[in-house]
Amino acid sequence: MRGDISSVPEGERFDLARARPGTPAIMAVINRTTDSFYESAATLEEAITAVEAAASAGAQIVDIGGVRAGRGREISVAEEIDRVCPTVEAVARSHPHVLISVDTWRHEVAEAACRAGAGLLNDTWAGIDPKLAEVAARHDAGIVCSHTGGLDPRTDAHRNRYGLQAGDVVDSTLAGVIDLAEAARAAGVREDRIIIDPTPDFGKNTYHSLRLLRELDRFAATGYPVLLAISRKDFVGEAIGEVAPSDRLYGTIAATALAIEKGAAMIRTHDVKATADAIDVTVAITGEAAPRHTVRGLR
């Protein structure tokens, strides 16, 4: 059985090396925005409260973002730093065991965030700023290598390059994240600090995102830890019907369980407790971990 990662030894920050197939880590979404598609923590106080709740429910990583992924008003580098860095500093003081990730594509924000205490850079826009990897290397931080199908930041996947059906989306996505992983290594990022993310819904329609989930084991087979960021996303809602983000939890958990079985090493989620339960049941079924409490039929 692989080790339980629900707790971290006293005095230690969660290490990325502990996130792997069979023991997936939970990354909680903390949006320091006012216009995110599902939940926002618009003030520093709200963000700290959200981090406290996430850590108590089982998150080992918190992913703090200052700009929504979708379209919206322009957020300058300075404003993004002002949103993100005080939160990073506060979390580093209040929750030293939690690994702090920052969701940004800008190297200036990444630099400030690492100085404030971040240990992981979640580059959701596929290396559009190559200096981001240099920041990760300089601070010995981790980096997430994602795939957006060539989209510029904060643009939508309208009539993307893959056509209506899935086609070669898996091959293209796999090649894209591997190229970025190799670029990160060339920039000096340690191999054990590199994570790959197939990035469903970014530059992809629902058929593509479903196909990526179906073949997620191909990404796990690369040896790089796989981050799955599907929490309440559009493809989940469209698989069910015309369903808003507020009604996508059950669908998200179904997809999460499948992804865990296929080798996901990290789950990014808005719903930490539900995700923790899904992980516990899935790894108990697969035999990767023992059930946490077994007295039925033994008393």
Side-chain angles (χ1 to χ4, degrees), residues 12 19 64 90 121 140 147 170 201 248 260 265 269 273-274 281 284 287:
E12 293 184 15
I64 301 167
L121 300 175
D140 196 27
H147 179 272
V170 178
D201 274 8
R248 296 174 186 170
I260 295 165
T269 181
K273 179 61 169 66
V281 174

Side-chain angles (χ1 to χ4, degrees), residues 105-112 114-115 121 123 127-145 180-190 194:
W105 75 91
R106 293 160 158 166
H107 76 273
E108 301 96 334
V109 178
E111 178 69 35
C114 287
R115 290 181 182 276
L121 300 175
D123 180 11
I128 199 162
D129 182 349
K131 291 183 179 180
L132 199 79
E134 297 173 11
V135 174
R138 189 158 53 249
H139 292 275
D140 196 27
I143 191 168
V144 177
C145 300
L180 283 175
E182 292 177 351
R185 290 181 64 185
V189 181
R190 287 169 43 184
I194 297 172

